[in-house]
Amino acid sequence: MSSAEPHISESTRSIIRQLDDSAINRIAAGEVVERPASAVKELVENAIDAGATRVTVEIADGGKTLIRVTDDGCGMAPEDLPLALSRHATSKIDGSDLLNIHTFGFRGEALPSLGAVGRLTITSRAAGHEAAQIRVSGGRLEPVKPAALRMGTIVELRDLFFATPARLKFMRTDRAESQAISDTVKRLAMAEPAVGFTMRDVSGGGEGRVTFRADPLPGDLFDALHGRLASVLGREFAENALKIDATREGIRLFGYAALPTYSRGAAVAQFLFVNTRPVKDKTLTGALRAAYYDFLSRDRHPAAALFIDCDPQLVDVNVHPAKSEVRFRDPGLARGLIVSALRHALAEAGHRASTTVAGATLGAMKPEQPTATGAPRIYQMDRPSLGARNSAYAAQSPGLPPTSSFDAPPSPGFAELQTAYSGRVTEPLTGSTAPGQLPAASEAAAPGAEQLPLGAARGQVHENYIIAQTADGMVIVDQHAAHERLVYEKLKQQMTETGVAAQALLIPEIVELSDNDCACLLSVAEELAKFGLGIEAFGGNAVAVRETPAILGEVNAEAMIKDILDELSDQGESQLVQVKIEAILSRVACHGSIRSGRRMRGEEMNALLREMEATPHSGQCNHGRPTYVELKLADIERLFGRS
């Protein structure tokens, strides 16, 4: 026997054995139940499929020692309980059409897999039947017995993976597993706004503490979804999200996507659903990234909750036992719909920037003094006593009577105190300005400009920031960042209208490729030609690069071709040439825009504000940073303790 051959005897080599059900279930559990969060996902999906309107999830020790899911669904009859613990037994499909799936579950693997690796107890009651209970521990099934339950089903899983102790070594900390379970429940809560969800951690015994709660929200789809996203992702996401609703060739995309200025440092706020099923699909996430690529820097990621609704025949959900991966019959259609719908919504948002920009600005103005426990102290401006206020008023304006009570009328402003305020400027304004002096911005503003979204310019500070007054607050504009975006959008529009100039190569560059790569590249030759990259077949598996985009200057054609092929292989389409061209346009816009340190006249400032209001995407610069900050008058007054 060669040393390279495995040491297996001839008798062993020829024996084929049928594995028993217990071993089969443990093997299947390795695919279906990877960690406690996987078990919670399967059980909650079963509850939703059963028509539950409220689902309660209770866990202990990160789900390792206890997972209990309670629902008010249709329940199961006593005679169905043993069958529910058999492999590939389900009431959700009849097996005739595996491409027409309308439920979360359909494989009939979850319950027997859980019973094979843990201690599983199912208590259920269906309409017209008495409640019953069945137990299975490590694959050993016990007989059905009567139980007490008003309605629905309670599934209790204890000591997960006790029957496969090797799997326990791969578990993370209780906190990490609890977080994974919470994320799973939240994704399902977003998928089903009409269902109420409660999650409790009962590690300490008793009723435990509620870690997540979302009440059912029936009614209009978008209203319910908006309310559910606010409770799951937070009010800030709901305030800064754009409504998405588009349909193409039988596929509907709806949901909410956040403004570019409300972005995250990692892809942790991206939620994608196909026919209400939470999925992780690189085609869809790639489309989401492509829709925002022109508005975010590389280290920022968009936030979105997007739902694709289509005929089940157009998508295969039976790709993996975990059912988190899907395969579209036409992936290009789904990808194109996401990109076009998001870009259209972002363009319609115009100059709008996220409210978190103002919140961060106000937060920067508030000192954070840690408390004795180390937590940040909530900022509150000190309010002087009545005596202190009277003394201050007397010192600043001796001629005015002291304030007698907190219910007194508001204290006089600068207009009333001008005779007593020695520092007030009293020189009259003239129609002309001295050399090197800026005219008053208010004189250059059109009547009623304060009622416009970005208001009327009132001045410029540090030769870079425009201060504008709106009807209910003020706006601070970064003149360089704002003008950079305006110039960039104009350059892109010109490129769209006139096309990209191509530069013919004196000697075409020949690139050798494989059969598949050559065919793939030639299939998108017409699209690449729109961006100035001219290629054609050169015989065999070679292509000839005859033209390159003139704006890119001298390029390595072979390296570009191979990068394009990598994108085509990974995402199904390539935007490499367009990205490179727009990166050049962005640099041109940066160098051609108003520089920091330049003084602007009043009419220039107001013209910039009006152009921002009329230009899409002007709320953020080419690098994804905000171009302006809006502060409401009420926020400003709070800074000074006036409210």
Side-chain angles (χ1 to χ4, degrees), residues 526-542:
E526 185 176 347
E527 182 180 349
L528 294 175
K530 297 177 182 178
F531 294 99
L533 183 62
I535 61 172
E536 61 182 30
F538 192 70
N541 296 331

PDB file of all heavy atoms in Angstrom, residues 526-542:
ATOM      1  N   GLU A 526     -20.316  48.084 -25.997  1.00  0.00           N
ATOM      2  CA  GLU A 526     -21.110  49.259 -26.375  1.00  0.00           C
ATOM      3  C   GLU A 526     -21.272  50.219 -25.197  1.00  0.00           C
ATOM      4  O   GLU A 526     -21.198  51.439 -25.355  1.00  0.00           O
ATOM      5  CB  GLU A 526     -22.473  48.810 -26.888  1.00  0.00           C
ATOM      6  CG  GLU A 526     -23.331  49.944 -27.431  1.00  0.00           C
ATOM      7  CD  GLU A 526     -24.639  49.443 -28.022  1.00  0.00           C
ATOM      8  OE1 GLU A 526     -24.765  48.209 -28.235  1.00  0.00           O
ATOM      9  OE2 GLU A 526     -25.527  50.268 -28.270  1.00  0.00           O
ATOM     10  N   GLU A 527     -21.481  49.662 -24.010  1.00  0.00           N
ATOM     11  CA  GLU A 527     -21.619  50.506 -22.822  1.00  0.00           C
ATOM     12  C   GLU A 527     -20.304  51.195 -22.480  1.00  0.00           C
ATOM     13  O   GLU A 527     -20.282  52.376 -22.110  1.00  0.00           O
ATOM     14  CB  GLU A 527     -22.091  49.658 -21.643  1.00  0.00           C
ATOM     15  CG  GLU A 527     -22.318  50.443 -20.365  1.00  0.00           C
ATOM     16  CD  GLU A 527     -22.796  49.572 -19.223  1.00  0.00           C
ATOM     17  OE1 GLU A 527     -23.151  48.399 -19.482  1.00  0.00           O
ATOM     18  OE2 GLU A 527     -22.794  50.055 -18.082  1.00  0.00           O
ATOM     19  N   LEU A 528     -19.185  50.480 -22.610  1.00  0.00           N
ATOM     20  CA  LEU A 528     -17.887  51.078 -22.318  1.00  0.00           C
ATOM     21  C   LEU A 528     -17.564  52.194 -23.310  1.00  0.00           C
ATOM     22  O   LEU A 528     -16.899  53.176 -22.961  1.00  0.00           O
ATOM     23  CB  LEU A 528     -16.800  50.001 -22.358  1.00  0.00           C
ATOM     24  CG  LEU A 528     -16.874  48.917 -21.277  1.00  0.00           C
ATOM     25  CD1 LEU A 528     -15.804  47.853 -21.512  1.00  0.00           C
ATOM     26  CD2 LEU A 528     -16.711  49.530 -19.886  1.00  0.00           C
ATOM     27  N   ALA A 529     -18.030  52.056 -24.550  1.00  0.00           N
ATOM     28  CA  ALA A 529     -17.765  53.077 -25.558  1.00  0.00           C
ATOM     29  C   ALA A 529     -18.398  54.418 -25.189  1.00  0.00           C
ATOM     30  O   ALA A 529     -17.893  55.480 -25.567  1.00  0.00           O
ATOM     31  CB  ALA A 529     -18.274  52.609 -26.916  1.00  0.00           C
ATOM     32  N   LYS A 530     -19.502  54.380 -24.432  1.00  0.00           N
ATOM     33  CA  LYS A 530     -20.141  55.630 -24.007  1.00  0.00           C
ATOM     34  C   LYS A 530     -19.239  56.453 -23.106  1.00  0.00           C
ATOM     35  O   LYS A 530     -19.388  57.674 -23.005  1.00  0.00           O
ATOM     36  CB  LYS A 530     -21.450  55.323 -23.281  1.00  0.00           C
ATOM     37  CG  LYS A 530     -22.501  54.637 -24.141  1.00  0.00           C
ATOM     38  CD  LYS A 530     -23.734  54.313 -23.323  1.00  0.00           C
ATOM     39  CE  LYS A 530     -24.771  53.573 -24.150  1.00  0.00           C
ATOM     40  NZ  LYS A 530     -25.963  53.208 -23.318  1.00  0.00           N
ATOM     41  N   PHE A 531     -18.298  55.770 -22.435  1.00  0.00           N
ATOM     42  CA  PHE A 531     -17.380  56.466 -21.539  1.00  0.00           C
ATOM     43  C   PHE A 531     -15.986  56.597 -22.153  1.00  0.00           C
ATOM     44  O   PHE A 531     -15.007  56.836 -21.449  1.00  0.00           O
ATOM     45  CB  PHE A 531     -17.295  55.727 -20.205  1.00  0.00           C
ATOM     46  CG  PHE A 531     -18.584  55.752 -19.440  1.00  0.00           C
ATOM     47  CD1 PHE A 531     -19.444  54.671 -19.480  1.00  0.00           C
ATOM     48  CD2 PHE A 531     -18.949  56.869 -18.705  1.00  0.00           C
ATOM     49  CE1 PHE A 531     -20.640  54.693 -18.790  1.00  0.00           C
ATOM     50  CE2 PHE A 531     -20.142  56.903 -18.013  1.00  0.00           C
ATOM     51  CZ  PHE A 531     -20.996  55.819 -18.051  1.00  0.00           C
ATOM     52  N   GLY A 532     -15.904  56.447 -23.476  1.00  0.00           N
ATOM     53  CA  GLY A 532     -14.646  56.715 -24.157  1.00  0.00           C
ATOM     54  C   GLY A 532     -13.681  55.562 -24.220  1.00  0.00           C
ATOM     55  O   GLY A 532     -12.537  55.744 -24.652  1.00  0.00           O
ATOM     56  N   LEU A 533     -14.087  54.366 -23.801  1.00  0.00           N
ATOM     57  CA  LEU A 533     -13.208  53.203 -23.865  1.00  0.00           C
ATOM     58  C   LEU A 533     -13.643  52.333 -25.036  1.00  0.00           C
ATOM     59  O   LEU A 533     -14.669  51.658 -24.979  1.00  0.00           O
ATOM     60  CB  LEU A 533     -13.251  52.406 -22.558  1.00  0.00           C
ATOM     61  CG  LEU A 533     -12.315  51.191 -22.477  1.00  0.00           C
ATOM     62  CD1 LEU A 533     -10.859  51.627 -22.583  1.00  0.00           C
ATOM     63  CD2 LEU A 533     -12.535  50.434 -21.172  1.00  0.00           C
ATOM     64  N   GLY A 534     -12.867  52.368 -26.122  1.00  0.00           N
ATOM     65  CA  GLY A 534     -13.215  51.625 -27.326  1.00  0.00           C
ATOM     66  C   GLY A 534     -12.450  50.330 -27.435  1.00  0.00           C
ATOM     67  O   GLY A 534     -11.212  50.320 -27.464  1.00  0.00           O
ATOM     68  N   ILE A 535     -13.156  49.203 -27.478  1.00  0.00           N
ATOM     69  CA  ILE A 535     -12.520  47.885 -27.604  1.00  0.00           C
ATOM     70  C   ILE A 535     -13.210  47.119 -28.721  1.00  0.00           C
ATOM     71  O   ILE A 535     -14.377  47.371 -29.052  1.00  0.00           O
ATOM     72  CB  ILE A 535     -12.605  47.078 -26.291  1.00  0.00           C
ATOM     73  CG1 ILE A 535     -14.074  46.830 -25.903  1.00  0.00           C
ATOM     74  CG2 ILE A 535     -11.863  47.769 -25.165  1.00  0.00           C
ATOM     75  CD1 ILE A 535     -14.234  45.889 -24.738  1.00  0.00           C
ATOM     76  N   GLU A 536     -12.494  46.170 -29.293  1.00  0.00           N
ATOM     77  CA  GLU A 536     -13.074  45.311 -30.322  1.00  0.00           C
ATOM     78  C   GLU A 536     -12.311  43.998 -30.342  1.00  0.00           C
ATOM     79  O   GLU A 536     -11.182  43.899 -29.838  1.00  0.00           O
ATOM     80  CB  GLU A 536     -13.019  45.987 -31.688  1.00  0.00           C
ATOM     81  CG  GLU A 536     -11.625  46.302 -32.166  1.00  0.00           C
ATOM     82  CD  GLU A 536     -11.632  47.011 -33.507  1.00  0.00           C
ATOM     83  OE1 GLU A 536     -12.601  47.752 -33.808  1.00  0.00           O
ATOM     84  OE2 GLU A 536     -10.649  46.837 -34.248  1.00  0.00           O
ATOM     85  N   ALA A 537     -12.945  42.967 -30.887  1.00  0.00           N
ATOM     86  CA  ALA A 537     -12.315  41.651 -30.971  1.00  0.00           C
ATOM     87  C   ALA A 537     -11.097  41.723 -31.887  1.00  0.00           C
ATOM     88  O   ALA A 537     -11.102  42.418 -32.911  1.00  0.00           O
ATOM     89  CB  ALA A 537     -13.316  40.627 -31.483  1.00  0.00           C
ATOM     90  N   PHE A 538     -10.060  40.967 -31.523  1.00  0.00           N
ATOM     91  CA  PHE A 538      -8.825  40.995 -32.304  1.00  0.00           C
ATOM     92  C   PHE A 538      -8.449  39.595 -32.786  1.00  0.00           C
ATOM     93  O   PHE A 538      -7.342  39.351 -33.204  1.00  0.00           O
ATOM     94  CB  PHE A 538      -7.684  41.581 -31.453  1.00  0.00           C
ATOM     95  CG  PHE A 538      -6.452  41.911 -32.240  1.00  0.00           C
ATOM     96  CD1 PHE A 538      -6.448  42.975 -33.131  1.00  0.00           C
ATOM     97  CD2 PHE A 538      -5.300  41.143 -32.102  1.00  0.00           C
ATOM     98  CE1 PHE A 538      -5.315  43.279 -33.870  1.00  0.00           C
ATOM     99  CE2 PHE A 538      -4.157  41.439 -32.829  1.00  0.00           C
ATOM    100  CZ  PHE A 538      -4.168  42.515 -33.722  1.00  0.00           C
ATOM    101  N   GLY A 539      -9.386  38.678 -32.703  1.00  0.00           N
ATOM    102  CA  GLY A 539      -9.098  37.309 -33.124  1.00  0.00           C
ATOM    103  C   GLY A 539      -8.684  36.442 -31.960  1.00  0.00           C
ATOM    104  O   GLY A 539      -7.958  36.888 -31.070  1.00  0.00           O
ATOM    105  N   GLY A 540      -9.168  35.228 -31.957  1.00  0.00           N
ATOM    106  CA  GLY A 540      -8.854  34.335 -30.853  1.00  0.00           C
ATOM    107  C   GLY A 540      -9.484  34.838 -29.570  1.00  0.00           C
ATOM    108  O   GLY A 540     -10.659  35.222 -29.536  1.00  0.00           O
ATOM    109  N   ASN A 541      -8.699  34.859 -28.488  1.00  0.00           N
ATOM    110  CA  ASN A 541      -9.186  35.342 -27.198  1.00  0.00           C
ATOM    111  C   ASN A 541      -8.624  36.717 -26.862  1.00  0.00           C
ATOM    112  O   ASN A 541      -8.548  37.086 -25.696  1.00  0.00           O
ATOM    113  CB  ASN A 541      -8.791  34.355 -26.092  1.00  0.00           C
ATOM    114  CG  ASN A 541      -9.450  33.005 -26.286  1.00  0.00           C
ATOM    115  OD1 ASN A 541     -10.537  32.919 -26.848  1.00  0.00           O
ATOM    116  ND2 ASN A 541      -8.780  31.958 -25.844  1.00  0.00           N
ATOM    117  N   ALA A 542      -8.251  37.478 -27.874  1.00  0.00           N
ATOM    118  CA  ALA A 542      -7.650  38.796 -27.645  1.00  0.00           C
ATOM    119  C   ALA A 542      -8.635  39.901 -27.995  1.00  0.00           C
ATOM    120  O   ALA A 542      -9.523  39.729 -28.842  1.00  0.00           O
ATOM    121  CB  ALA A 542      -6.375  38.951 -28.466  1.00  0.00           C
TER     122      ALA A 542
END
